[in-house]
Amino acid sequence: MSKSTVINKVLITAGTHGNEMSGVEYVRNLQSNEQILANLIPKQSELNIEFTLVNNLAIKNRCRYVEEDLNRQFTLDKLSKPSGENLEHILALEFNARYGPKTKPSTDLLIDIHNTTSNMGPTLIILETDDFHQQMARYVKSHMPEAVILIEDHIPYQEHAYLCTVGKRGVMIEVGPQPQGVLRPAAYLQTEQMTQILVSFCDLWNKSAVPQTDEVEAFRLTKEVKFPVNAEGRKLAMIHPQLQNKDFSVLNNGEPVFQSFEGKTITWDGDDNVYPHFIGESAYYHLDVAFALATKTVI
Ligand SMILES: [Zn+2]
């Protein structure tokens, strides 16, 4: 089936990471509060919208995951296994059977809600830049100018291990800063607003009524940058105070990126005009990932 078809079934998920509370609270509210649900559904809409919390044990335990990161389980290889090797792999197989399968999706659009400890603002992560996603990005920016569009298309859509790729199309809402395990009002409100805008976009898309707008600024992921470590793998530096919280601000060669524990500044030795994001993200600290880089583009 062509990807230019109508969006019938939309699935909104949260709790893929159990300690990301803006999505968890919002989906709980959509499931239990008619007024909040009514605010999401456009009038005279024929969209079929479902909501689900994905990793309920991780939510109960107030942790990102129990055994393995659930949002890294959705490769075609892992989904092809007859049985799961750990809790999150089992959840992935069950989720894929119910809402996918990834090879022949029954869900037209999967919106997976996350938050980050980094100062990324309300970010929409898209994995493709076809007409649908291009128009979606422009529609989001026109209704929420502070939104950031982040493109992760360095690999083909199906090769991503993200939960949202179980849908025919999949996107992620990634709002920050919000510490793990707690709700901040700005993150909650931005999450709710971006979800409403995405649903309203789908309704207009189906009616061929998306207003045509000019191209908008976006960022394209290029690579991750690691903390400097010693031979034993111990970190030798922290994020430089001048870089902290500067997500999606330009970084040029020679500008500070790390500060050693002795107080020495370590500068960026790389391309000019790069845009750090996920700066100091809590979930990546133990992986020694200091930040990700993007280039600026338009979509
Ligand atoms: Zn997450």
Side-chain angles (χ1 to χ4, degrees):
M1 192 184 279
S2 157
K3 281 214 176 186
S4 65
T5 48
V6 169
I7 304 290
N8 291 312
K9 193 173 158 198
V10 178
L11 177 63
I12 299 173
T13 53
T16 300
H17 293 138
N19 55 10
E20 297 180 355
M21 299 316 293
S22 37
V24 170
E25 295 290 9
Y26 183 48
V27 166
R28 275 181 183 154
N29 289 334
L30 287 172
Q31 290 172 327
S32 62
N33 185 312
E34 282 182 24
Q35 181 60 51
I36 292 168
L37 178 61
N39 291 342
L40 177 71
I41 313 289
K43 293 191 173 45
Q44 272 124 38
S45 168
E46 292 181 1
L47 292 170
N48 167 7
I49 307 179
E50 275 190 57
F51 323 96
T52 192
L53 294 172
V54 188
N55 196 340
N56 286 295
L57 186 56
I59 295 169
K60 183 165 175 270
N61 292 353
R62 301 186 300 277
C63 57
R64 182 174 172 89
Y65 55 81
V66 178
E67 292 187 86
E68 276 193 12
D69 192 329
L70 180 56
N71 211 26
R72 304 291 183 272
Q73 301 297 319
F74 291 86
T75 57
L76 289 170
D77 180 49
K78 285 195 177 184
L79 294 177
S80 71
K81 303 285 189 236
S83 60
E85 292 167 1
N86 55 61
L87 175 76
E88 277 76 16
H89 190 195
I90 293 166
L91 285 177
L93 295 179
E94 290 173 357
F95 187 90
N96 188 52
R98 178 155 180 196
Y99 298 108
K102 180 162 172 164
T103 47
K104 197 173 183 300
S106 56
T107 299
D108 294 305
L109 177 66
L110 209 166
I111 302 170
D112 190 28
I113 303 177
H114 292 256
N115 65 259
T116 170
T117 61
S118 304
N119 187 29
M120 283 169 55
T123 300
L124 174 67
I125 302 179
I126 58 174
L127 308 176
E128 298 178 284
T129 56
D130 57 5
D131 187 45
F132 176 81
H133 292 89
Q134 185 182 66
Q135 291 197 44
M136 174 191 276
R138 293 176 185 184
Y139 186 79
V140 167
K141 285 286 274 188
S142 71
H143 286 79
M144 197 175 183
E146 69 274 32
V148 176
I149 308 299
L150 177 60
I151 305 165
E152 295 192 8
D153 64 353
H154 53 288
I155 53 173
Y157 179 70
Q158 287 245 318
E159 288 181 22
H160 281 284
Y162 297 140
L163 173 136
C164 70
T165 62
V166 163
K168 194 180 292 176
R169 303 169 179 87
V171 300
M172 285 174 278
I173 293 175
E174 184 74 83
V175 178
Q178 178 169 263
Q180 295 177 339
V182 73
L183 190 71
R184 281 192 171 172
Y188 181 86
L189 295 170
Q190 288 169 339
T191 297
E192 179 177 37
Q193 186 186 359
M194 190 177 279
T195 309
Q196 290 168 345
I197 292 169
L198 290 176
V199 169
S200 140
F201 168 78
C202 291
D203 186 53
L204 293 171
W205 171 265
N206 287 347
K207 296 166 178 164
S208 300
V210 180
Q212 294 300 309
T213 52
D214 291 338
E215 57 189 18
V216 294
E217 175 189 278
F219 297 88
R220 175 170 273 124
L221 172 70
T222 54
K223 62 174 182 178
E224 292 174 341
V225 176
K226 297 222 162 184
F227 284 99
V229 295
N230 68 10
E232 287 85 49
R234 288 250 340 252
K235 288 181 183 65
L236 295 169
M238 53 190 149
I239 302 284
H240 195 280
Q242 286 181 38
L243 182 68
Q244 183 64 46
N245 296 338
K246 297 286 171 40
D247 297 74
F248 297 113
S249 293
V250 67
L251 175 70
N252 288 308
N253 198 31
E255 292 179 344
V257 280
F258 297 114
Q259 182 167 303
S260 79
F261 296 116
E262 296 84 30
K264 185 169 160 283
T265 291
I266 299 165
T267 58
W268 176 239
D269 179 16
D271 291 339
D272 284 333
N273 295 312
V274 292
Y275 292 82
H277 57 284
F278 281 119
I279 297 172
E281 158 58 38
S282 166
Y284 303 155
Y285 189 77
H286 73 288
L287 303 170
D288 290 332
V289 174
F291 50 88
L293 284 181
T295 52
K296 198 189 255 193
T297 184
V298 289
I299 182 170

